[in-house]
Structures are given as structure tokens and as C-alpha cells.
Amino acid sequence: MNLDLLPDDCFAHILSLTSPIDACRISLVSSSIRISANSDNVWEKFLPPDYQQILTRLRHPLIFSSKKHLFFRLCNPHLIDGGLKTFSLEKTTGKKQYMLSARELNIAWADNPLFWSWKPFPTSRFVEAVELRTIWWLEIQGKINSGMLSPKTTYECYVIVKFVDRAYGLDFLPSKVTVEIGNVKSEGNVYLRQYESKKQCLETLWYSNRMELVLRSMAFRGIMEERVACKREDRWIEIELGSFYNNGGDNLEVKMSLKEVTGTHLKGGLVVEGIELRPKQQTTANHM
């Protein structure tokens, strides 16, 4: 069948039922198809239904010439809600991504300058991050309403941190990480230590997963998944807190946390930028 023979509005409707990456690929077929593939009718379908409301929350207004232009501009993180969060779209699917700044989190004793220090960091997306000076009770909590996220989507949650040169006491004991939505809760453990490369990070994760399988085969119960701290391209470090499936339709509170409160030793040198929520890549699980 010659796609050029389809009416423009019919073909645009078909494209709007695909994905941003599919629309970009098929626009290369011919010049006439490119016109339909680049139309506002197609790209408005790839934008979130509440994109107009999101635009009002941007700290700096966006200038765009078309809905496709707007889509790709939103694929870069933009400050929203007075600079306390960032918002972006996942480029291949158009699903929402957020990052909550440290100021949006509930960090135990973060307002006490004896324990924590608020300061700007050149590589941070936010005006300031917070550095742990010294404390024994480490507890970081964040929350977001599931209605702000894309429906029918599995999300992964990460706390974004750095370790300064003077860091100490952070990996004496594992920290507990959790993500909870409704009556579903994901739990894990992580040692707050830095890995020099992504390869070393993945090797550690592979080893810990192998150990978990061995322990399970020996009939141990109540074992939590081991997580690792992985270096990112932006030179920050991400630690997976857990994942959850957002069915959509319900405004549920998503609760995320990292804490180490069992040891009585002092710890310091951890810089917290925020918590990031992004769609899980290549999800294969089926949800009814």
C-alpha cells in the first residue's frame, strides 16, 4: 500500500497512536509523509494531557514554534514549582519524569547547621543541595502524588548524591531503601560507597544478585535486595530506592526513603541533590 495515498488527517491519526520515536522514523519515508508526521495533531497526542498546566509551572517560560518543537524542548529537564522540582519527558515514549530537590525532601535535622550545610553545587540542577556535616541518624524521605505521573507505567526511584573527599562512616552498615504506594512496598539495602566505574557498579550488583539467589536456595527468608551506588554521566551518583507500577486513575501518595538509624556511629560527607523518578526502560511485565 502506498502511504502517500492516505488522506492527511487519516494518516496523522494513525501516527498519533504510535510513539514519538516511531513518528520520527516514519517521517523519513517521504516529504509528504514528513508533513503529516510533523503536524501539531500528531505531536499533541504525545504531550501529556495536562501539558498546558505544566507549562504554567515552569520557572522560565518556553518559546516554541510547533507541538513537536515543544515536545523535544520538554525532553530536557526544566525547573518547575519555584525551582523545587524539575520536569522532563522521556524522549522515546513521552512519559513524565520528575526530580524532587533536596528542599522538597524531608531530611532529618537538615535545618540544623550543626548537622547539615545548604550550599550551591556547580553541577546541580538546583540552586542548592545539602551536605551532611556529621550525624548518626540518617533519614531522607520524599513523596509525590501518583496523579502527577504517567499512567500505566512502571517507575524507578533514585536518590541522587555525591560523596565528598572527607566522607566517613557511611558504609559501616547498610542503609535501608524503600518505595511504597498504597499497600505495595519495595525494600532493599545499600552500602553508601562510591564505585569508580559503571562496570564495577554492575559487577557488584551482579555479585549481590547471585548471592541473593544462593541464600534463597538455602531457604533463608526476609532477605532484601542489595542495591549499589552508580556514577552518572552528570558526575552525580544515583542509588535506586525501588520501583512501583502507577496504574493511573488513583491519586495515591508515593513514599520514598533512605535511612540508616540502627548504628550509633557518626557519619558525614554525603551531598544530597534530590530524588529522581523516571520510567523503567524495557519493562516486560504485563499489568491488567
Side-chain angles (χ1 to χ4, degrees):
M1 179 180 178
N2 190 341
L3 296 177
D4 289 325
L5 299 179
L6 286 174
D8 290 344
D9 57 347
C10 177
F11 190 63
H13 177 69
I14 293 171
L15 283 176
S16 70
L17 299 177
T18 61
S19 68
I21 191 170
D22 291 329
C24 289
R25 286 170 176 167
I26 203 167
S27 68
L28 302 176
V29 172
S30 71
S31 58
S32 60
I33 287 177
R34 187 178 304 116
I35 293 173
S36 295
N38 291 341
S39 71
D40 282 353
N41 289 337
V42 171
W43 286 90
E44 183 154 16
K45 295 292 185 180
F46 298 147
L47 290 166
D50 60 344
Y51 78 91
Q52 294 280 12
Q53 190 269 337
I54 291 170
L55 291 178
T56 66
R57 296 164 60 192
L58 294 178
R59 188 170 187 179
H60 304 290
L62 282 184
I63 298 174
F64 52 92
S65 57
S66 66
K67 296 296 172 58
K68 181 179 180 180
H69 186 203
L70 173 61
F71 177 90
F72 282 107
R73 291 213 63 183
L74 289 175
C75 288
N76 296 314
H78 294 273
L79 292 170
I80 63 171
D81 297 346
L84 295 178
K85 304 183 188 76
T86 66
F87 171 84
S88 62
L89 297 177
E90 204 281 319
K91 187 175 294 185
T92 60
T93 63
K95 293 183 182 295
K96 298 177 181 178
Q97 304 179 128
Y98 286 93
M99 184 168 174
L100 314 180
S101 70
R103 282 290 186 189
E104 276 284 272
L105 307 180
N106 182 11
I107 302 174
W109 291 295
D111 291 330
N112 190 323
L114 292 176
F115 304 130
W116 293 86
S117 175
W118 292 92
K119 60 179 73 173
F121 283 82
T123 57
S124 176
R125 283 175 266 190
F126 302 104
V127 173
E128 60 183 352
V130 64
E131 180 179 335
L132 176 59
R133 301 184 67 181
T134 187
I135 208 168
W136 72 270
W137 184 287
L138 176 61
E139 186 169 12
I140 302 166
Q141 297 179 325
K143 60 184 179 179
I144 192 170
N145 190 291
S146 65
M148 294 173 59
L149 306 171
S150 296
K152 311 297 182 185
T153 303
T154 298
Y155 275 89
E156 294 177 323
C157 310
Y158 297 86
V159 61
I160 311 301
V161 301
K162 278 183 182 289
F163 299 103
V164 299
D165 292 339
R166 67 171 188 86
Y168 62 92
L170 295 168
D171 62 351
F172 287 176
L173 292 172
S175 296
K176 182 180 178 181
V177 293
T178 63
V179 173
E180 184 176 0
I181 178 171
N183 59 358
V184 179
K185 188 174 185 178
S186 139
E187 296 182 309
N189 283 326
V190 62
Y191 283 91
L192 297 181
R193 57 173 68 112
Q194 181 171 334
Y195 294 91
E196 294 304 317
S197 66
K198 186 73 172 180
K199 180 175 180 292
Q200 186 182 10
C201 171
L202 293 174
E203 286 174 348
T204 302
L205 185 58
W206 177 85
Y207 176 77
S208 64
N209 287 340
R210 291 284 294 176
M211 287 301 297
E212 183 180 356
L213 290 174
V214 171
L215 291 171
R216 284 182 177 179
S217 69
M218 296 173 64
F220 280 83
R221 294 294 182 265
I223 301 168
M224 290 189 290
E225 181 183 351
E226 186 74 22
R227 312 274 167 77
V228 292
C230 293
K231 191 176 292 186
R232 294 156 51 106
E233 291 182 359
D234 60 8
R235 298 184 181 180
W236 287 82
I237 292 165
E238 64 181 29
I239 300 167
E240 184 182 353
L241 301 176
S243 61
F244 66 96
Y245 181 71
N246 183 37
N247 188 54
D250 297 319
N251 290 320
L252 301 176
E253 189 173 68
V254 182
K255 302 176 184 177
M256 305 156 284
S257 71
L258 179 150
K259 63 181 179 179
E260 198 291 282
V261 297
T262 57
T264 57
H265 61 283
L266 292 177
K267 50 189 78 77
L270 179 71
V271 179
V272 180
E273 186 185 25
I275 291 180
E276 185 175 76
L277 298 94
R278 60 179 189 251
K280 186 173 183 178
Q281 298 297 314
Q282 299 177 344
T283 303
T284 57
N286 294 322
H287 300 276
M288 300 303 292

